[in-house]
Amino acid sequence: MRIARFVVDGQDPVYGVVEGEEGAESLTQIVGDPFYQGIQPTGTVHRMEDVRLLAPVIPRSKVIGIGSNYADHAQEMGKESQRPSPLMFLKPNTSVAGPGDPITLPSFSEEVSFEAELAVVIGRICKDVPPERVPEVVFGYTVANDLTARDAQRTDGQWARAKGFDGACPLGPWIETELDPDDVRVTGELGDELRQDGQTSDMVFSVQEIVSFASSAFTLLPGDVILTGTPAGVGLLEEGDTFTAAVEGIGDLTNTFRR
């Protein structure tokens, strides 16, 4: 099931179930917030061309990122890939942007790079989740672009500014609740050029290991998002660029960039 968050005619955001084939989708509006009220269709149906998709979730507390989780990406960044545990960082919920949103590159950076990723959306409050029980706490999966200001990442030591600036976490186009995340393709296209192409089976730490590890440090809340890392091929963005992150079985997330 695909769950989207959207607006119609400038009204308040609502959620809906995406139905139909690519290019002919419609949205069946649901009651309230699916994280707390479940999936209750209202009977109101919207054509996709009549709505504006938003980020499918605005995390109530946090976005957790995982660094260097593909060996080929770690190698291209000159980092160690055989870590004993996942490398975690946080992005604020103000960094979240939606599909189609124009992203303003931060004035403090001249080296913002793209990172196409699979993102996990948590569905229930949980703590210290064993790996085998992770599917019980996952609401679904979406596509992310973990934008990173590389120059600030080098100079700051801490990654808060480099990873957390406004617009640094595009998410979308919707949440897929029935994805098997163990071996799906993750790609990134800069304009018409394929720059990233990997499989989640190549991750150093699996989705189950990542969620379990994160829950050992933080209480996870409904709507929290965990980014799972990016394959090799990251590069820099310039004013006017368009970048599309995609995950097999979910869809495409496209944003344009400006100064």
Side-chain angles (χ1 to χ4, degrees), residues 228-243:
T228 61
T230 194
V234 300
L236 300 182
L237 293 160
E238 302 292 343
E239 181 175 12
D241 281 347
T242 297
F243 183 77

Side-chain angles (χ1 to χ4, degrees), residues 28-149:
T28 299
Q29 192 169 324
I30 62 177
V31 175
D33 187 332
F35 291 95
Y36 292 94
Q37 295 174 266
I39 309 300
Q40 304 177 58
T42 64
T44 300
V45 179
H46 305 278
R47 298 186 304 170
M48 187 64 74
E49 55 264 36
D50 293 334
V51 312
R52 181 168 70 89
L53 292 177
L54 305 174
V57 59
I58 300 295
R60 289 163 174 79
S61 66
K62 54 193 169 293
V63 177
I64 301 168
I66 303 296
S68 303
N69 198 32
Y70 287 76
D72 55 359
H73 172 58
Q75 183 177 9
E76 74 176 349
M77 300 303 292
K79 297 180 180 179
E80 176 61 53
S81 62
Q82 299 302 316
R83 301 180 57 84
S85 60
L87 170 64
M88 293 194 297
F89 57 89
L90 296 174
K91 296 167 86 86
N93 60 10
T94 49
S95 70
V96 172
D101 286 351
I103 307 298
T104 300
L105 299 169
S107 60
F108 62 78
S109 175
E110 296 299 324
E111 299 179 33
V112 176
S113 69
F114 52 80
E115 295 189 13
E117 310 201 6
L118 170 71
V120 184
V121 183
I122 299 300
R124 52 181 280 194
I125 188 170
C126 57
K127 183 75 169 70
D128 295 321
V129 182
E132 65 272 14
R133 297 195 64 182
V134 163
E136 299 175 27
V137 306
V138 172
F139 182 83
Y141 302 87
T142 191
V143 185
N145 186 357
D146 176 23
L147 297 173
T148 306

Side-chain angles (χ1 to χ4, degrees), residues 108 151-162:
F108 62 78
D151 40 6
Q153 188 179 35
R154 287 194 303 270
T155 60
D156 289 3
Q158 298 283 346
W159 292 4
R161 188 168 67 128

